[in-house]
Amino acid sequence: MDARDVIKVGMSAERTLVVPPERAVGHFASYMPMVYATPMMILEMEMASADAVTPLLEPGWVTVGTEVDIKHIAATPVGATVRTTARVIAVERRVIRFEVEAFDERRRIGEGRHARCLVNVERFMSGLAAGSRK
């Protein structure tokens, strides 16, 4: 499958999340404050990016994250609502590049770029299985 056949620059998706305690950095490290953890924000950015393109993929194909270049620019407390957006900015044969942003009720809290690679699940999994037997 060639992503250029179905994915177009400008395609986008948005996700909304009320930050639960288990997504706070203090949940993972008890000495840290209970604010939205950077890896959890990046997870939402990756999921929004996947949401933007997955409905157009042929059966048996998915995208997997391969690059992140993200700034977490403001803290967000547990219980706040976060809106995450992803927009396609470039499409190569197997790589789709996104501009991603996250906002809480007051301001932008994160921004950056993300790339996802188009893979055939069956081939991907058989490659992993072959590698684990070595």
Side-chain angles (χ1 to χ4, degrees), residues 48-124:
S49 298
D51 290 350
V53 299
T54 298
L56 299 170
L57 303 181
E58 293 175 10
W61 289 83
V62 296
T63 59
V64 296
T66 57
E67 296 176 34
V68 290
D69 181 10
I70 305 297
K71 293 178 185 173
H72 194 166
I73 54 180
T76 301
V78 167
T81 299
V82 172
R83 180 175 56 90
T84 305
T85 63
R87 184 177 60 85
V88 175
I89 58 171
V91 184
E92 300 161 23
R93 188 176 70 80
R94 292 191 55 208
V95 177
I96 306 156
R97 300 188 185 282
F98 299 86
E99 180 178 79
V100 292
E101 296 179 293
F103 304 85
D104 65 16
E105 294 101 334
R106 300 182 305 142
R107 65 203 178 263
R108 180 184 357 222
I109 63 167
E111 62 188 16
R113 302 280 172 106
H114 173 51
R116 301 187 69 76
C117 184
L118 185 62
V119 299
N120 178 279
V121 175
E122 188 176 317
R123 281 188 292 218
F124 182 78

Side-chain angles (χ1 to χ4, degrees), residues 3-26:
R4 297 170 296 188
D5 294 337
V6 293
I7 309 302
K8 305 299 177 206
V9 170
M11 297 173 93
S12 64
E14 180 176 298
R15 294 173 64 90
T16 303
L17 167 77
V18 176
V19 179
E22 56 273 9
R23 296 255 181 129
V25 68

